[in-house]
Each structure stands twice: as C-alpha cells, then as structure tokens.
Amino acid sequence: MAIDKKQVEEIVRAVGGKENIEAATHCVTRLRFALYDESKVDTESLEQNDLVKGQFSSQGQFQVVIGPGLVDKVYDEMIQITGGERASKDDVKAVAGKKQNPIQRAIKTLSDIFIPILPAIITAGLLLGINNILTGPGIFFDGKSLVDVYPAWKDLASIINTIASTAFTFLPALIGWSAVTRFGGSPLLGIVLGLILVHPDLLSAYGYANAVNEGTVPTWNLFGWHIEKIGYQGQVLPVLVSAYLLAKLEIFLNKRVHDSIKLLVVAPVTLLITGFLAFTIIGPVTFAIANGITSGLIYIYDSYAALGGLIYGGLYALLVITGMHHTFLAVDVQLIGSQGGTFLWPMLALSNIAQGSAALAMMLVLREKKMRGLAATSSVSAFLGVTEPAIFGVNIRYRYPFIFGMVGSAIGGVLLTMNNVQATSIGVGGVPGFLSIFPNKWGVFFIGMAIVLVVPFVLTVLFGRAKLRKEDRNADQATVASGQTSTAKSASSTTTTNAVAEPRTRSTAQVADEPVNTLEIMAPLTGKAVPLEQVPDPAFAEKQMGEGVAIEPSGNQVVAPFDAQVAHVIKSKHAVILEHASGLQILIHVGINTVSLKGEGFNMHVETGEKVRAGQTLLEFDRKVIEAAGYPLITPIIIPDGQDMVDRVEVTTGDVTSNQNGVLKVHLKG
C-alpha cells in the first residue's frame, strides 16, 4: 500500500519537527518517539492525519499508532525526510528512561519488580479470603466461626491457609527472583538469596517483637560482634537492597573471572558476600527503616484517619495514571508482614469500583455506539480490579467521570479509615475485594462499596446529561445563525471515528438487496476470548487500529485461523499478518510489549509470502520467558482499519479452542 509523503511530513511536523526527535523506532503497530519536548506535539494535527489511528504518551515515549503492514513504510519514509538514524526499541527506551527523574525511575523499578509476582500474591490473597470465611467468627453464627460449629471443616481450612500463606511466608524469595532479574543478575541466585533470609534456623520476623520483650532474641557472636539471628519474613526492603547488591556483584565477577572457573567462583562468592552483608548490615539497617516507615504510617492513620482516607482514597486513581500506585504495593506488603493487615488496600479496591461506576454511567450519557460499548466492557473490567481500560479509554477522555470517580472514592476512603477497615492480604481489587477484608469489617466495607457505586454513577449521569443539553442548545443556536439544519451541523462536527463508521452504515443500506459475504475467523489460540477493551494497551483497548478480539491463551501455539498467505512476519517473531483470498488481512499479536524481547521466547514456523492451511502452526512461544519478563500474554487479533471490503465485524467471547471456535465474523461488502 502506497503512502502519501505529505502525510508523513505532517506527522514529523506534528511531533515538533525533526529537531524535536531525539530517537525514533517502530514496532508492529506504532511509531515510538523519544522527544526532547513533548509539549511541542500538535495533537490536533495528528488527529486529522489519515495515517494516524491514535496517539498517547507512556513511560517517556510518545507513541503514534499507524497500524500493521503500514507502520514500517511510514517509518522508512520518516527516516528519509528527517535524515535521522535508525534506532532500536532499546535505544528509544533508554533515551526515554533518561528523561525520567529519579523518583520516576524508582517507581518504574518497583513496578518492574512487583508486577511479575503480583499473580502469586493476588492468588494467595483470594485463598486467604476463603480461609477468612471458614475461620472468621460471627459471619454465619453468633460469636462462632464455621469451623467452630462444624469441626470437620477445620483441617480443610488449615490446608487452605497453608497453601495461601506460602507466598507471604516466602515472599523474600519471590522478590529476590524478580528483583535480581530486574537488576540483571541470575534469577536462581535471587531465589536462593530470598530463601536464605527466611531460613528455618533464624528467628521468624513474626516472633521478633515477643522475643525482644522476653529478652530471648538469638544472636551470632562474630569475634565479639553480636548480630541478631533473625529472619525477614514479610519484609521488603532487606531483600530489595540485597538483591541489588547481589546482581551488581555477580555482573562484576562475571566480567573478570575466567570462563573455566566461573561456576566455582561467581555464584559462591556472590552469595557468600551478599548473604554476610545482608545479615550484618543491610538487614538490620533496612529492617529499622522499614519499621520506621510502618510506624509513621500507623501514626498518621491513628491520628488523622479521616484526612488519610480522603487523600489516599481520592487520589489513588491519579496514582494509577502516573504509575506510582505500584509503589504502594510494597507498602501494603510491608504492613501485612509487620502488622498483620493493611489499611491502604481496601481503599484501592473502592477506587477501582468508583472508576468502574463512572465509566458505566457514561453508557447513559454517550451517544456514540462504539464508545458506549467501551464504557460497558471497561466498567466490568474495573469492577474486577483492572481499571486501566476504564480510566484511559473513557474517564480521562471526558474528564468529569474521572473526577466524580475520585469524589466517590474519597468519601469511601474516609468511611473505611474512620472505621479501621483493614485487609489481611492483597487480593483482587474491586468487587471481589471483600474476600481480603477482615470479616468483622465486611458490613462497613459493603457500605463503602455502595457509596462508590452510587455517588460516581449519579454525579456522572446528571452532569453528563446537563452538558449534552447545553451542547444541543448551542448547536441549535449556531444552526439557526448559519442557516443550516441541525442535522447538517451534527454531521459536520462528528469525530473521526464516526466519520468512518457512518459510511459503512450507508454502505450496508445501499447493498441491502445484494448478497453479503461473511468470513468466520476461527480462534488462532486455545484460551479465553475477551473484548479488546480488556487489553492493557490503549492502542488495542481503544480500537485505534481496528476491530477485533483478544485471547488469554492457555497454550503456547498460534495456528492459522483460515487458509491464507503470510503477508508479513514481524522481525521480533511476536506477531504475524495473514491475508485471506478475499484480500482481508488480520494481525495476530502475541502479548503486550513483547517486541522488547527481540524474538526471545518465540519460534516462528512460517515466512513472509508462504501459503498456509487452516490449523497450520504459525508460531510457538515460551510462556515462562514472557511472564518472567513481566509482559502480559493476552493476544489481540485485529482486523486493521482501512480495508474497504469490510462492512462490519462481530465478536464472540468465551472459552475457545484453536481452530474449533469462531471468534470473529467479518461481513464483507458486496
């Protein structure tokens, strides 16, 4: 497909000109810029450019969505226009990272460490919630728990508790694995380091306070230097600092020790030095710092509960936008480990529900069918704890639902803190969050849930409809003044999305008496098909590249969903574009941001230009490699915009088996 050079020149001008481009690269769907000054970007000009499907800024990169099969041509043309050098994705990522201040870099580091272990922590939280139901007094019987009344359930509850508490008991091992991986060391050494810090020979951190009171804290005597012989269960800082030291020491030794003796020298010396320093200096110092931070939070919570709930509950959604919310995951874990519960996490759960409620309310406000659908699906996602689709896809776009979501969350936060509502663990934020709350506080938490459901919803609907009525009156006045009908005025002021959608509607009407060909696209992966709005990437979630579906894979193979020709194989092997005999193209994109893996963990079985049969294996991927890198496995299947033969697309969700269930039905014109 030929591209218009002038449109590419407009993109360059819109991002501030070639002088504003420090580095630029592209992936399968978008241009990625590291800009000197993002304030120079002309967003309106980009929105009016036919090549551009969307735009957003993330982690220091300004991204312009072009779409598959075209972005590489646009990039090539852009390089010729600017005379710049080609850059890799790592180059742009490195440049963008330098633009972040130390606080932003620290937040990103914590995010990179905790996101990979989040599934284990959330799973543990859900199981602990089940244990709470079984063992919590007063839930089903007055003053007694279920296991008190039915002792036969006691051992079952004990087994569940053992399984659930393992992730928290050995939390330093999980953090050690993820942190050492993030800092460039060996993941296995990170696991061993974490296990060293919770060795059974050490006094458990959970029993440290009692041992201090009783004067029974065991010690090591190193030539007169007495060191407390304690473990660091539930602690975050000791293992984080130790992991950083271990990774840097391992890298240092790997560069200087001869290959023939690396196995005998690098790992033993690294663990010995790091372990010794962890017990003698790092552990005691960071343990004291962590306890100081915890004591400070507890003091604020005890002394100014309402103010803390108002601020944290109200502003948590803003933390999500900046990415700072990942920082508080470490604080939650620290509070649970040292105090047995966290007062922060319950407010997180209510904030998620509040943003979901505001997004749901937009269904009654918005007129555009596509955006109403996005509002509905993203609200469900938020109610289940994933707020990014609702926040970025709907609420931030219109501003007022986002603000009303924060208002409801602030009120709920005050209620929770005033009534000392705490969570025993970190579970699924949103409606299922009650499972992690201490059972004796469920009543208050449910009242808080009612507040964050009702307040944002009502305020959003009332304000949104009033805003629409005002816009209608202004439009009518402008129509009369210009001598145009209100219908013509409405048509001239529709968004780019509507301008594309409406001709399709007319086309359907025009060919109503003619046969319409339908192409059913089978699932290329086995797993669960979900709406695009659940993809944690705005380019896909907002359908900036086109309609489609996403699959959360349970296997590791991608197969051809129909007989096709391979139109394009992405160099990093994580995505492929297929072309049907009708000319229809589809993009299969395994994972989110997996382009950064540079092909690691992927095995492509086909080449560009090759003809494939339905059910033939296209590529295989290593789930462990992708998950260890912290990237989501969810796989979008997209019908790229701009294909004239497409009339409309129907989506089917639910459990699917590769090449046995249809996930997309594409109606072709004529």
Side-chain angles (χ1 to χ4, degrees):
M1 179 180 176
I3 59 173
D4 188 342
K5 182 178 180 179
K6 291 183 179 179
Q7 291 180 323
V8 180
E9 291 174 343
E10 285 299 324
I11 293 176
V12 174
R13 276 195 288 271
V15 298
K18 63 181 182 180
E19 300 81 8
N20 195 38
I21 301 174
E22 187 170 1
T25 185
H26 75 91
C27 60
V28 67
T29 58
R30 66 201 80 172
L31 299 172
R32 296 171 180 256
F33 295 97
L35 302 176
Y36 288 107
D37 185 359
E38 282 196 15
S39 66
K40 293 182 178 180
V41 174
D42 185 350
T43 56
E44 291 186 5
S45 177
L46 286 173
E47 289 174 358
Q48 295 170 4
N49 195 312
D50 292 337
L51 284 176
V52 177
K53 304 294 191 301
Q55 55 185 291
F56 58 95
S57 180
S58 175
Q59 297 180 350
Q61 295 182 35
F62 187 79
Q63 303 183 30
V64 179
V65 181
I66 302 297
L70 194 60
V71 65
D72 51 344
K73 297 176 182 177
V74 173
Y75 179 73
D76 291 341
E77 187 66 41
M78 184 184 72
I79 292 298
Q80 291 185 11
I81 292 171
T82 61
E85 295 183 0
R86 292 178 178 273
S88 69
K89 297 167 188 68
D90 284 343
D91 294 335
V92 174
K93 189 175 181 180
V95 172
K98 293 177 182 177
K99 296 179 182 299
Q100 296 177 319
N101 59 46
I103 294 177
Q104 290 174 319
R105 288 198 293 270
I107 290 170
K108 185 180 184 305
T109 298
L110 280 176
S111 173
D112 292 342
I113 291 172
F114 278 95
I115 285 178
I117 67 174
L118 199 55
I121 297 175
I122 289 177
T123 299
L126 288 174
L127 292 175
L128 284 174
I130 297 174
N131 180 70
N132 289 343
I133 293 175
L134 296 174
T135 60
I139 299 177
F140 301 104
F141 305 98
D142 188 20
K144 292 185 177 181
S145 68
L146 187 67
V147 296
D148 290 335
V149 177
Y150 300 103
W153 288 78
K154 189 172 184 179
D155 287 340
L156 174 62
S158 177
I159 293 174
I160 293 174
N161 184 63
T162 300
I163 296 172
S165 61
T166 296
F168 291 103
T169 301
F170 297 100
L171 181 65
L174 296 177
I175 296 176
W177 161 75
S178 187
V180 171
T181 302
R182 169 63 179 80
F183 296 134
S186 168
L188 181 60
L189 291 183
I191 295 173
V192 175
L193 172 65
L195 293 174
I196 289 173
L197 296 177
V198 292
H199 194 284
D201 286 350
L202 305 172
L203 171 67
S204 172
Y206 300 126
Y208 179 72
N210 289 335
V212 170
N213 293 332
E214 297 170 0
T216 58
V217 178
T219 60
W220 283 300
N221 186 346
L222 299 179
F223 310 104
W225 183 13
H226 293 275
I227 301 168
E228 292 183 336
K229 188 180 177 182
I230 63 172
Y232 295 97
Q233 290 85 353
Q235 299 294 308
V236 175
L237 282 180
V239 68
L240 278 179
V241 177
S242 299
Y244 178 82
L245 174 64
L246 182 144
K248 299 307 176 184
L249 182 57
E250 183 190 6
I251 293 170
F252 176 83
L253 292 175
N254 268 324
K255 291 179 179 178
R256 288 162 178 80
V257 176
H258 195 274
D259 289 345
S260 62
I261 58 172
K262 273 186 178 180
L263 186 62
L264 299 175
V265 175
V266 176
V269 172
T270 299
L271 275 177
L272 183 62
I273 294 177
T274 305
F276 185 84
L277 291 175
F279 286 124
T280 58
I281 299 175
I282 297 173
V285 171
T286 55
F287 188 62
I289 293 173
N291 285 336
I293 294 173
T294 302
S295 299
L297 287 171
I298 296 297
Y299 172 78
I300 294 172
Y301 178 66
D302 289 340
S303 304
Y304 311 99
L307 181 61
L310 182 70
I311 294 174
Y312 188 76
L315 299 183
Y316 180 79
L318 276 178
L319 297 179
V320 174
I321 294 176
T322 62
M324 290 181 64
H325 62 303
H326 296 300
T327 306
F328 288 89
L329 176 60
V331 179
D332 278 317
V333 172
Q334 179 69 36
L335 287 170
I336 292 170
S338 58
Q339 302 295 319
T342 172
F343 50 84
L344 296 177
W345 192 86
M347 289 184 277
L348 173 158
L350 291 193
S351 177
N352 289 350
I353 298 172
Q355 291 299 322
S357 177
L360 183 64
M362 293 301 287
M363 279 191 64
L364 303 180
V365 175
L366 296 170
R367 291 169 174 170
E368 185 186 344
K369 183 177 180 181
K370 180 178 178 180
M371 285 305 301
R372 287 203 304 269
L374 176 60
T377 54
S378 63
S379 66
V380 173
S381 174
F383 291 149
L384 296 178
V386 181
T387 55
E388 280 81 357
I391 289 177
F392 292 106
V394 180
N395 295 353
I396 283 294
R397 179 178 296 185
Y398 297 97
R399 292 189 179 88
Y400 63 90
F402 181 73
I403 294 172
F404 291 142
M406 290 197 296
V407 170
S409 179
I411 297 172
V414 171
L415 175 71
L416 296 189
T417 53
M418 291 293 290
N419 289 275
N420 193 29
V421 176
Q422 296 192 33
T424 60
S425 59
I426 298 170
V428 176
V431 176
F434 76 93
L435 291 172
S436 298
I437 305 299
F438 281 99
N440 64 331
K441 296 295 183 180
W442 278 5
V444 178
F445 188 75
F446 286 142
I447 294 174
M449 287 176 61
I451 290 173
V452 296
L453 281 169
V454 174
V455 172
F457 188 91
V458 172
L459 291 178
T460 300
V461 170
L462 293 178
F463 182 87
R465 289 186 171 177
K467 188 171 182 290
L468 284 179
R469 286 194 294 270
K470 182 178 179 181
E471 290 175 354
D472 288 342
R473 286 195 300 269
N474 291 339
D476 290 340
Q477 292 170 1
T479 298
V480 172
S482 62
Q484 298 175 338
T485 65
S486 59
T487 302
K489 180 66 179 177
S490 176
S492 66
S493 61
T494 51
T495 64
T496 303
T497 302
N498 283 337
V500 173
E502 189 167 333
R504 290 182 182 176
T505 304
R506 289 198 301 270
S507 174
T508 303
Q510 290 167 356
V511 298
D513 297 327
E514 302 175 16
V516 177
N517 297 322
T518 301
L519 173 61
E520 184 172 13
I521 297 177
M522 310 304 285
L525 304 95
T526 296
K528 183 179 181 181
V530 298
L532 278 182
E533 288 81 2
Q534 294 189 24
V535 178
D537 183 314
F540 292 113
E542 297 176 14
K543 302 182 182 179
Q544 294 176 358
M545 290 174 292
E547 293 285 348
V549 71
I551 295 179
E552 297 173 345
S554 57
N556 68 334
Q557 276 192 345
V558 177
V559 303
F562 47 71
D563 294 348
Q565 183 174 11
V566 180
H568 189 50
V569 171
I570 308 307
K571 186 178 180 180
S572 48
K573 303 177 184 178
H574 70 291
V576 61
I577 299 175
L578 301 179
E579 184 171 321
H580 187 260
S582 64
L584 178 78
Q585 289 190 343
I586 70 164
L587 163 69
I588 304 173
H589 190 290
V590 179
I592 302 302
N593 288 328
T594 43
V595 63
S596 300
L597 292 174
K598 300 179 182 178
E600 182 184 358
F602 292 94
N603 184 18
M604 185 67 68
H605 290 275
V606 296
E607 297 179 353
T608 300
E610 182 178 340
K611 293 186 182 297
V612 295
R613 304 288 293 178
Q616 180 177 335
T617 300
L618 300 175
L619 67 92
E620 294 178 296
F621 54 91
D622 190 326
R623 299 174 62 91
K624 293 182 179 179
V625 170
I626 299 172
E627 290 171 344
Y631 298 122
L633 273 167
I634 190 168
T635 300
I637 295 94
I638 303 293
I639 309 297
D641 275 342
Q643 301 187 72
D644 293 335
M645 78 285 294
V646 178
D647 181 54
R648 58 190 174 90
V649 179
E650 296 180 19
V651 177
T652 302
T653 58
D655 294 332
V656 293
T657 302
S658 62
N659 229 43
Q660 293 186 22
N661 304 93
V663 289
L664 294 174
K665 185 177 289 186
V666 184
H667 296 270
L668 306 177
K669 296 177 182 177

